[in-house]
Amino acid sequence: MPSTINPTQPYPAYFIGHAGVGLLFSETSNNKIVQNNLREIGEEILALSPRPKAIIAFSGHFEAGEIHGPGVIEVNVKRNTYIQHDFVNDFHDTKPFVYEYDWPHQDAPELASQVWSHIVKAGIKAKRVERGIDHGVWVPFKVMFPEEKPLDVPVILVSTFHGYNLESQIRLGEVFKSLRTEGYVILGSGMAVHSFASIGEIREAPTEEEREATRVKVLAESKVFDRRLREAVAKKNAEERKEALLKLEGLYEFKRSHPTVEHFTPLLVAAGAAGDSDAEPLGVDIVEPGMSYLNLRFA
């Protein structure tokens, strides 16, 4: 792999809606659309020329640990990284085959250490750690880069900040903006809407009539936030986009769509790395009650 790659223009930054492990086996029409959307993004990444050094991935399942204290980023430098079967649900009785899934891939500890050094030089505290690849990365990547079209560059895992300071996540992304001209693709993997709490409200409604009414309410909330988010990322200027994204936190629909923020923060990192690059939604729109599978390209 060449040590120096000089693309003629910055590589794109992406945000993908990663879904759960059901992405790999669900036969619903919506899931097939989500799969197709991701496959097209994978093909786009495989078509980049010259080939990137690596994909730097930020996952909604990799927040920096509290052990290092607030304001510390973690960079995975493990060699021969295993994949984690870190699913929300316990599938041992219902779908035990999901624990047999694997996703062959390339690691690059030396490049990861260079990324760590870049973060530190930018004035952000960072630690090198050794961990596996969580399902926020390997599950969508297994769809994006199947066996017949494997990913031919390494994946470097970098955490988001721990906690609820959304502005810090955008600042983190800004640190990676320059790496887009140095051979790296930046990719945030999360969900534009991610609320198991809202889905739980639907399931727990005592009657079918109340379940349907709750489903309609939650879907409306999800669609409102998805629309407001799209409007925010469409801002052409990096500062205007940043301001619009941070204002989303004040919406009623924000808390409904993100009771916790870890699936939203990878989008903020990608937006920070984008600078003034235009944002374009990719694929067919899928919004369900409590979930949005929005994908974005910043280029």
Side-chain angles (χ1 to χ4, degrees), residues 227-266:
R227 174 175 56 80
R228 295 293 297 271
L229 175 55
R230 290 168 186 265
E231 292 170 355
V233 297
K235 301 293 185 183
K236 301 296 184 183
N237 175 276
E239 285 303 313
E240 291 179 358
R241 181 182 290 153
K242 175 180 178 180
E243 181 180 358
L245 285 168
L246 294 177
K247 281 184 176 179
L248 294 175
E249 191 176 12
L251 296 175
Y252 163 78
E253 290 84 3
F254 177 84
K255 190 63 176 177
R256 294 290 295 166
S257 298
H258 292 284
T260 56
V261 299
E262 75 288 338
H263 279 69
F264 185 61
T265 53

Side-chain angles (χ1 to χ4, degrees), residues 44-87:
E44 182 175 301
I45 291 173
L46 289 176
L48 291 174
S49 180
R51 302 300 297 133
K53 286 182 183 178
I55 296 176
I56 301 176
F58 299 83
S59 166
H61 296 276
F62 187 18
E63 285 187 300
E66 293 183 74
I67 188 172
H68 292 135
V72 179
I73 290 298
E74 297 178 1
V75 180
N76 185 47
V77 296
K78 184 173 177 57
R79 191 178 301 277
N80 300 322
T81 309
Y82 58 94
I83 68 168
Q84 299 175 333
H85 296 90
D86 55 334
F87 310 130

Side-chain angles (χ1 to χ4, degrees), residues 7-260:
T8 56
Q9 59 186 15
Y11 284 123
Y14 293 93
F15 172 76
I16 61 170
H18 67 232
V21 70
L23 175 72
L24 300 179
F25 60 79
S26 173
E27 294 295 325
T28 67
S29 58
N30 275 2
N31 190 65
K32 290 179 180 179
I33 293 171
V34 173
Q35 289 177 330
N36 287 336
N37 289 345
L38 290 171
R39 287 191 191 102
E40 290 178 0
I41 296 171
E43 290 174 0
E44 182 175 301
I45 291 173
L46 289 176
L48 291 174
S49 180
R51 302 300 297 133
K53 286 182 183 178
I55 296 176
I56 301 176
F58 299 83
S59 166
H61 296 276
F62 187 18
E63 285 187 300
E66 293 183 74
I67 188 172
H68 292 135
V72 179
I73 290 298
E74 297 178 1
V75 180
N76 185 47
V77 296
K78 184 173 177 57
R79 191 178 301 277
N80 300 322
T81 309
Y82 58 94
I83 68 168
Q84 299 175 333
H85 296 90
D86 55 334
F87 310 130
V88 174
N89 297 316
D90 184 339
F91 290 103
H92 286 88
D93 295 325
T94 57
K95 293 180 173 61
F97 61 85
V98 302
Y99 299 99
E100 301 300 319
Y101 284 138
D102 198 1
W103 181 63
H105 59 279
Q106 297 181 33
D107 299 314
E110 296 82 6
L111 286 179
S113 286
Q114 291 176 24
V115 170
W116 165 81
S117 179
H118 176 81
I119 297 169
V120 172
K121 288 177 181 177
I124 293 178
K125 296 178 181 177
K127 299 288 185 180
R128 285 169 286 186
V129 300
E130 299 200 4
R131 72 188 301 276
I133 299 183
D134 62 75
H135 80 265
V137 175
W138 72 261
V139 165
F141 277 30
K142 190 174 177 68
V143 174
M144 295 164 66
F145 309 108
E147 290 184 11
E148 63 273 19
K149 296 180 180 179
L151 181 62
D152 58 349
V153 301
V155 179
I156 297 171
L157 307 176
V158 179
S159 78
T160 57
F161 282 114
H162 179 81
Y164 283 76
N165 184 336
L166 300 186
E167 187 173 7
S168 71
Q169 311 289 358
I170 297 178
R171 291 199 303 269
L172 173 63
E174 291 169 349
V175 168
F176 288 84
K177 178 184 173 184
S178 63
L179 295 187
R180 294 173 54 211
T181 63
E182 298 178 20
Y184 294 94
V185 171
I186 310 301
L187 187 144
S189 176
M191 296 288 287
V193 175
H194 184 268
S195 180
F196 284 121
S198 295
I199 294 171
E201 289 178 14
I202 299 171
R203 292 174 177 165
E204 293 164 12
T207 68
E208 183 60 38
E209 182 180 2
E210 289 176 277
R211 277 193 292 276
E212 179 58 19
T214 305
R215 189 195 71 80
V216 170
K217 173 179 178 290
V218 171
L219 180 58
E221 294 166 347
S222 299
K223 286 185 173 180
V224 166
F225 186 74
D226 180 85
R227 174 175 56 80
R228 295 293 297 271
L229 175 55
R230 290 168 186 265
E231 292 170 355
V233 297
K235 301 293 185 183
K236 301 296 184 183
N237 175 276
E239 285 303 313
E240 291 179 358
R241 181 182 290 153
K242 175 180 178 180
E243 181 180 358
L245 285 168
L246 294 177
K247 281 184 176 179
L248 294 175
E249 191 176 12
L251 296 175
Y252 163 78
E253 290 84 3
F254 177 84
K255 190 63 176 177
R256 294 290 295 166
S257 298
H258 292 284
T260 56

